[in-house]
């Protein structure tokens, strides 16, 4: 290991903890959706295909706990609750957008690499690893949001 690349176990755990929050597809989607401005719970849920009410609630609570979004309750009848990005959450849009741009730019290369790998596995009688199905709930929404985030930069 190069001296400039030594990591302490505590640093690795801290990075893993943060990546666990911001790396899941629902958090990326929520942050991307809120990049255009505050939204209500129902607006978020409608705009994110395939997310359950419970999963959206858990995702929002986690993002709020991590300081990435704010939850503002307005004293109206019925109560109105808006979710918005904090400055930290807004700062997260840049790497999310960069990741989206990278994914779009490199998707054909990754597809070709997978095909070559799978062909080599088949030739040697091995089974290739399974990729997540493209029709998985939220897959298309994640792809669309990453494209939109990449175009915002």
């Amino acid at each position: 290991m190069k001296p400039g690349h030594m990591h302490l176990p505590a640093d690795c755990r801290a990075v893993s903890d943060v990546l666990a929050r911001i790396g899941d597809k629902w958090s990326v989607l929520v942050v991307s959706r809120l990049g255009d401005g505050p939204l209500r719970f129902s607006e978020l849920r409608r705009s994110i295909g395939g997310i359950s009410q419970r999963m959206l609630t858990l995702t929002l609570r986690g993002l709020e706990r991590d300081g990435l979004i704010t939850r503002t309750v307005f004293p109206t009848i019925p109560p109105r609750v808006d979710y918005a990005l904090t400055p930290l959450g807004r700062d997260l849009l840049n790497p999310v957008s960069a990741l989206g741009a990278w994914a779009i730019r490199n998707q054909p290369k990754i597809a070709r690499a997978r095909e070559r790998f799978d062909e080599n596995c088949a030739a040697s009688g091995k089974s290739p690893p399974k990729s997540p199905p493209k029709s998985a709930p939220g897959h298309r929404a994640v792809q669309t949001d990453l494209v939109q985030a990449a175009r915002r930069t």
Side-chain angles (χ1 to χ4, degrees):
M1 184 180 294
K2 295 180 183 176
H5 296 286
M6 293 179 70
H7 300 285
L8 298 173
D11 293 340
C12 292
R13 282 191 296 274
V15 169
S16 294
D17 184 46
V18 170
L19 288 177
R21 164 61 52 217
I22 63 171
D24 77 83
K25 71 179 178 181
W26 300 123
S27 293
V28 168
L29 284 168
V30 169
V31 168
S32 294
R33 292 288 197 236
L34 293 175
D36 293 328
L39 292 171
R40 291 178 171 184
F41 183 94
S42 59
E43 293 170 325
L44 271 170
R45 185 157 182 229
R46 273 194 304 272
S47 71
I48 300 173
I51 192 167
S52 68
Q53 182 171 337
R54 174 172 163 65
M55 184 53 66
L56 180 55
T57 298
L58 292 172
T59 301
L60 289 168
R61 291 176 100 189
L63 291 170
E64 183 181 13
R65 180 176 185 242
D66 290 347
L68 298 167
I69 66 169
T70 58
R71 179 180 185 269
T72 305
V73 180
F74 296 93
T76 59
I77 299 175
R80 177 180 158 187
V81 179
D82 281 358
Y83 295 91
L85 292 177
T86 63
L88 184 61
R90 197 153 286 291
D91 190 40
L92 180 59
L93 282 174
N94 291 327
V96 165
S97 298
L99 176 61
W102 182 90
I104 292 163
R105 202 172 48 250
N106 289 290
Q107 195 283 325
K109 293 176 188 173
I110 292 169
R112 284 193 302 274
R114 286 178 179 173
E115 288 171 10
R116 282 192 306 272
F117 185 89
D118 293 351
E119 288 168 3
N120 289 340
C121 283
S124 65
K126 297 177 184 172
S127 297
K130 293 186 180 186
S131 296
K134 289 186 179 180
S135 60
H139 175 79
R140 181 64 54 201
V142 171
Q143 229 176 11
T144 302
D145 276 359
L146 287 176
V147 169
Q148 290 170 352
R151 289 182 181 148
R152 279 198 289 262
T153 59

